[in-house]
Amino acid sequence: MKACFFCAFGGPEVLQYGDLPDPLPAAGEVVVDIHAASVNAADWKMRAGRYGRIDFPHVPGRDFSGVVAALGEGARDFKVGDAVFGVCEVPREGAYAERIAIRQEILARKPASLTHVQCASIALAGLTALISIEDTLELKAGETILIHGGAGGVAGFAIALAKHLGARVVTTASAANPSEFGDEARNPLELAYALTVHKTQGSEFGITFLVLPNPCWLLSRELLYTALTRHRDRLVVLHQGPVAEFRRFAGEEHSEIARRMTNLFADPLPREVTVGTATRFLEEGLIHRTERGELVRSKSELVIADKLHARGVDYAYEQPLVVGDGRVRYPDFTIADHARGVTYYWEHLGLLDDPGYRARWARKRADYLAAGIRPHEDGGGPEGTLIESRDDPRGGLDAAAIARLIDTVVFVGD
């Protein structure tokens, strides 16, 4: 049979088109002659090696539609000639080919009203929405759900399912996509257009269903905050790639507000910063930039960074640290003293009067202790020394105390 396949991980250039042996059905499997297959983000991730080891040659592709061509032993759900569609089971794929052998339990009969091309686009996105709406959310009639990115594949199915269940659906869409949801006279949905970062501020929904593609060119810190804080009861996030990658949007370099030069009482002071491979200009008065030129989250961290820099201490800001059962923590500052064989992890605690913040810090501190990272007051631990600094009760910071902490604990120049 003809197939598109690859024999090594890499970019699009590793894809080959040629002949491979026809698949043979195992017990309970059927062979399907593929008439249409769709392309999903998972396809290039598999090709790039994102999902671990696989056997080569590997035929990618998960969604397909076609006609049953042969039956394996014990396969009785279909007969030869039946039109079917389905989705492959990870890590087994194979839709980029003329034929595929697959378990009969994960096939469905193709509706006569739909073409093979239409059916080939249903399974993966549709199942993602179905599992999220019915199994994870257990959405009920009369509930309100906010679904972001309503023009997307998964979101489109989620909207239809939610309406079918009798829920009130609100969705966001860009100005380019309003026609996806009907005209003004018979629009079945309420549209909350995500044109400004505060468009849905003040709104509350029982359930928010958030889809985060990666990359997401329109996403900003303020828009992400808005999306994550509009629910009363439940929030479901479907994210593409590691969720930790979205931490970068907490930085001021991803702030839409910081890019606005709208001070009516003083001249703007634009400052050029680098974001990945691009540059952008942020208002100096709305960011915290260290002497070293990096952006930090608070004025307190700005003071600490500059005090370390002034004393010649090399530090890493929010460097990932794997602790415990594989969880990743992000110390404010990591200081590696290679000469003495000691690594310091500095955490500044600015909101300990907030119960939620205090509880999160207690969990993070417990992870440090379990990983063998202990406070400097206790002499440190076998895996590192924890330095803790705090704002005073009024929210201020004693810069001189920070300097003394550096001089007495880190022992620069000792």
Side-chain angles (χ1 to χ4, degrees):
M1 67 174 182
K2 294 294 184 181
C4 183
F5 58 93
F6 57 89
C7 297
F9 293 130
E13 68 278 358
V14 303
L15 290 172
Q16 304 177 49
Y17 178 73
D19 292 307
L20 289 178
D22 284 347
L24 298 176
E29 290 186 340
V30 303
V31 173
V32 177
D33 284 338
I34 295 176
H35 287 215
S38 65
V39 177
N40 292 288
D43 302 345
W44 72 259
K45 290 182 179 181
M46 182 68 81
R47 187 200 67 225
R50 294 280 189 93
Y51 295 131
R53 290 189 59 184
I54 55 175
D55 294 329
F56 296 121
H58 181 84
V59 178
R62 300 189 180 184
D63 283 341
F64 64 90
S65 182
V67 175
V68 174
L71 304 175
E73 182 181 354
R76 298 183 177 88
D77 292 350
F78 303 94
K79 64 181 184 296
V80 173
D82 284 347
V84 295
F85 71 102
V87 60
C88 300
E89 296 175 288
V90 179
R92 186 176 176 182
E93 299 181 313
Y96 289 12
E98 290 182 315
R99 298 177 189 86
I100 188 171
I102 193 165
R103 288 197 306 121
Q104 62 178 359
E105 290 84 358
I106 55 175
L107 287 175
R109 297 185 188 280
K110 184 185 80 67
S113 59
L114 298 179
T115 67
H116 283 295
V117 171
Q118 290 170 327
C119 282
S121 67
I122 290 175
L124 186 59
L127 279 176
T128 303
L130 181 67
I131 292 171
S132 300
I133 292 291
E134 294 194 347
D135 296 347
T136 303
L137 288 178
E138 298 179 350
L139 187 66
K140 303 293 191 302
E143 291 185 313
T144 299
I145 180 171
L146 170 63
I147 301 176
H148 288 285
V154 172
F157 284 109
I159 289 169
L161 287 168
K163 293 294 290 184
H164 175 73
L165 293 172
R168 171 178 173 250
V169 181
V170 180
T171 187
T172 60
S174 71
N177 294 312
S179 60
E180 295 282 343
F181 310 105
D183 55 36
E184 289 288 333
R186 54 183 182 85
N187 197 337
L189 304 173
E190 298 177 51
L191 290 182
Y193 288 100
L195 299 181
T196 66
V197 297
H198 296 298
K199 196 67 176 180
T200 57
Q201 290 281 18
S203 302
E204 286 190 345
F205 307 94
I207 301 168
T208 299
F209 186 78
L210 176 60
V211 181
L212 290 175
N214 191 3
C216 183
W217 308 114
L218 298 178
L219 195 59
S220 67
R221 179 171 69 176
E222 292 81 12
L223 187 58
L224 184 58
Y225 171 82
T226 299
L228 293 173
T229 56
R230 296 304 92 204
H231 65 286
R232 289 192 306 269
D233 303 320
R234 283 172 287 174
L235 168 67
V236 174
V237 179
L238 296 176
H239 56 88
Q240 185 178 3
V243 70
E245 291 185 5
F246 291 96
R247 278 183 55 89
R248 67 183 186 274
F249 288 98
E252 289 170 327
E253 63 271 26
H254 292 283
S255 169
E256 283 292 337
I257 291 176
R259 297 175 69 180
R260 296 177 180 176
M261 312 296 175
T262 54
N263 192 330
L264 299 179
F265 306 102
D267 292 335
L269 297 172
R271 293 292 180 264
E272 186 176 16
V273 299
T274 301
V275 182
T277 58
T279 59
R280 62 180 55 167
F281 290 90
L282 305 181
E283 169 58 48
E284 178 74 17
L286 297 175
I287 63 175
H288 304 299
R289 188 162 67 163
T290 68
E291 291 285 346
R292 227 167 59 170
E294 64 211 335
L295 298 179
V296 295
R297 301 183 193 279
S298 69
K299 291 181 179 178
S300 296
E301 291 179 347
L302 177 65
V303 171
I304 295 169
D306 287 348
K307 292 292 184 183
L308 290 169
H309 181 66
R311 284 161 172 73
V313 179
D314 188 24
Y315 63 84
Y317 179 65
E318 292 195 340
Q319 178 174 282
L321 172 68
V322 179
V323 298
D325 57 357
R327 288 192 301 276
V328 178
R329 294 299 192 182
Y330 296 84
D332 292 337
F333 301 95
T334 301
I335 305 164
D337 188 337
H338 299 293
R340 298 170 57 213
V342 179
T343 300
Y344 299 95
Y345 300 98
W346 190 319
E347 293 280 6
H348 184 75
L349 313 174
L351 296 170
L352 286 175
D353 57 338
D354 177 81
Y357 180 95
R358 192 163 58 247
R360 290 192 298 273
W361 167 241
R363 292 192 296 269
K364 190 174 184 180
R365 194 176 195 273
D367 283 343
Y368 282 136
L369 297 179
I373 301 169
R374 302 194 174 277
H376 73 89
E377 296 91 343
D378 299 337
E383 299 299 327
T385 297
L386 179 62
I387 301 175
E388 300 166 82
S389 56
R390 294 171 171 79
D391 283 352
D392 63 33
R394 296 172 297 176
L397 180 68
D398 187 340
I402 295 295
R404 287 194 299 272
L405 192 57
I406 297 171
D407 294 339
T408 58
V409 177
V410 182
F411 294 110
V412 177
D414 186 61

